Amino acid sequence: RRQRQMCIRDSSYSPAFQEYILWNLILDVEMDWATFSYTGSFFDLDRKSATWSPAFLGDDPGFENRIEDESSTTHELRLASTTSDSRWGWIAGFYYDDLESETYDDYVPDYAGEQIFTYGGPLDITDKALFGEVTFDFNETYQILVGARYYDWNVDAVPVFTFFDFDFSNPPGSAGDSGSLFKLQLNARPNDNTLVYGLVSEGFRIGGFNAGVNETVGFPESFSQYDPDELTNYEVGYKSIWHEGRMLFNAAAYFMEWDQVQSVVTNEAGNLFITANAADLEAWGLEFEWVVQDVLIEDLYLAATYSYTKNEFQDDALIFPDTPTNIYKGDEFRRTPRNSWSCLLYKSDAAD
């Protein structure tokens, strides 16, 4: 890795290199009673960068270097019913994802020419799942959907953290878990152009490891690993099409319960960051979408969206006392705007 250290000491010199390969295969087989689908992908990334920092450690300028080598293989098999004269419908499938990565960050001060710390290490994440959905039409208006997903994930990590000639790396570790997620949705179609629905669904994000977590660098060793966070979403919505398909209007309201939120925190010195589980969070909001074409003015296309989101942590999360990253009850999740909107206006040329 020392071969990629830069000799030019210039604030305008920030070289970077990135190369990636992406393959994707989609296969569909139509049968009388069902459709079989396969989706597979392979991704490989090689990325290196060096950023000149005028004062990274105190008043000592130098290069912040980062190298990433990542590859991922994904497979999904799905079988879905296609019988149109039945009140029952179903989907069954299997999902597999294997991610292997090796990431290193280091710092090379101007005065030394040799890296003084290295942070990162190899990581292998495997995620497997069985999933299925069943729908039943009570009549032409009302429908119920029940879904479930069984998951099994595993993370193997080899943490690396060195500082000068000292090795603060934690021992290699492995974490994993399995469980089930559920989904329930009720649909009402009063006519061919309108859908009203109510939805309850669950989701989660896998846990993992932090490299170099110990008392020497300001982190308790108990934070070398972080747990999954889980989400339950309650939603009601309205979808509609008007004016013979030339206008679309959708609206939704939701409430989410987010448990053990994974958050990025720093040590007291503010120079090292890890992921840790914070307090539970609740969020609620509204979403609107409006699209019109050839309604107000001929050849005019207009699309507008608006969303309002409010969220609050439900308890204090004093993860590390005397650090600037404490989370208190009532705080909002950072980088989440209260109001978001977009608008697209397009006038086509009738002669075209």
Side-chain angles (χ1 to χ4, degrees):
R1 293 170 33 245
R2 291 177 180 172
Q3 293 179 353
R4 58 190 173 82
Q5 296 173 4
M6 306 301 172
C7 297
I8 299 177
R9 306 300 190 242
D10 185 348
S11 60
S12 64
Y13 187 66
S14 298
F17 167 81
Q18 176 174 288
E19 182 180 61
Y20 68 88
I21 300 172
L22 175 62
W23 293 91
N24 190 39
L25 174 63
I26 300 175
L27 175 65
D28 292 322
V29 179
E30 300 286 348
M31 298 176 286
D32 294 337
W33 55 280
T35 298
F36 171 80
S37 301
Y38 167 80
T39 300
S41 65
F42 171 77
F43 176 75
D44 185 80
L45 170 68
D46 183 13
R47 179 163 51 197
K48 302 178 179 69
S49 63
T51 304
W52 177 256
S53 177
F56 185 73
L57 294 177
D59 295 325
D60 298 323
F63 270 108
E64 300 174 51
N65 298 315
R66 183 176 181 87
I67 180 170
E68 299 173 77
D69 187 4
E70 178 180 300
S71 64
S72 174
T73 304
T74 303
H75 304 280
E76 180 176 294
L77 303 173
R78 182 184 295 247
L79 192 65
S81 63
T82 56
T83 305
S84 59
D85 57 355
S86 174
R87 298 168 66 182
W88 292 91
W90 51 267
I91 297 175
F94 171 75
Y95 174 82
Y96 174 85
D97 184 17
D98 184 17
L99 171 65
E100 297 182 0
S101 67
E102 194 165 356
T103 302
Y104 294 98
D105 293 282
D106 62 42
Y107 180 70
V108 182
D110 183 40
Y111 68 86
E114 294 289 339
Q115 63 195 43
I116 62 173
F117 79 75
T118 303
Y119 187 87
L123 185 69
D124 187 1
I125 302 175
T126 304
D127 186 12
K128 295 174 287 186
L130 292 171
F131 61 89
E133 289 183 357
V134 176
T135 59
F136 177 73
D137 297 329
F138 294 102
N139 48 46
E140 295 182 353
T141 302
Y142 298 103
Q143 179 189 68
I144 186 173
L145 182 152
V146 179
R149 185 181 187 93
Y150 174 80
Y151 62 85
D152 186 306
W153 63 271
N154 188 81
V155 177
D156 294 310
V158 183
V160 174
F161 179 56
T162 61
F163 189 78
F164 287 102
D165 294 328
F166 300 96
D167 189 352
F168 298 106
S169 304
N170 289 324
S174 179
D177 195 12
S178 61
S180 300
L181 303 171
F182 298 95
K183 174 182 177 180
L184 175 64
Q185 181 171 334
L186 298 175
N187 298 325
R189 293 187 174 88
N191 54 63
D192 293 339
N193 298 322
T194 304
L195 170 66
V196 180
Y197 69 90
L199 169 68
V200 180
S201 60
E202 297 178 320
F204 87 108
R205 180 169 47 177
I206 67 174
F209 289 88
N210 295 299
V213 172
N214 51 62
E215 298 287 351
T216 306
V217 295
F219 290 126
E221 292 186 8
S222 58
F223 286 88
S224 62
Q225 180 179 339
Y226 55 93
D227 296 326
D229 49 0
E230 300 177 349
L231 180 71
T232 303
N233 178 58
Y234 306 87
E235 182 178 335
V236 292
Y238 173 83
K239 297 179 180 292
S240 61
I241 298 175
W242 304 77
H243 297 290
E244 298 178 345
R246 291 177 294 164
M247 185 172 80
L248 176 148
F249 178 75
N250 299 330
Y254 63 87
F255 172 76
M256 296 190 300
E257 295 177 324
W258 192 356
D259 298 334
Q260 299 191 83
V261 179
Q262 292 178 11
S263 302
V264 176
V265 298
T266 181
N267 59 352
E268 187 173 359
N271 55 12
L272 290 176
F273 299 86
I274 67 169
T275 301
N277 294 100
D280 298 343
L281 180 139
E282 291 183 356
W284 54 95
L286 302 170
E287 296 180 347
F288 300 95
E289 180 183 18
W290 183 50
V291 178
V292 295
Q293 183 174 6
D294 299 327
V295 176
L296 302 176
I297 302 175
E298 188 176 358
D299 301 321
L300 179 69
Y301 176 87
L302 172 64
T305 65
Y306 171 76
S307 64
Y308 172 86
T309 300
K310 181 71 169 63
N311 64 80
E312 290 184 356
F313 280 99
Q314 299 302 296
D315 205 347
D316 297 343
L318 302 178
I319 302 175
F320 302 109
D322 303 321
T323 65
T325 54
N326 294 341
I327 297 173
Y328 297 95
K329 182 178 181 179
D331 286 353
E332 294 191 22
F333 196 76
R334 62 180 183 173
R335 299 177 182 174
T336 54
R338 184 73 61 86
N339 297 279
S340 301
W341 62 274
S342 68
C343 185
L344 173 62
L345 182 63
Y346 176 74
K347 179 69 165 63
S348 63
D349 188 347
D352 293 338

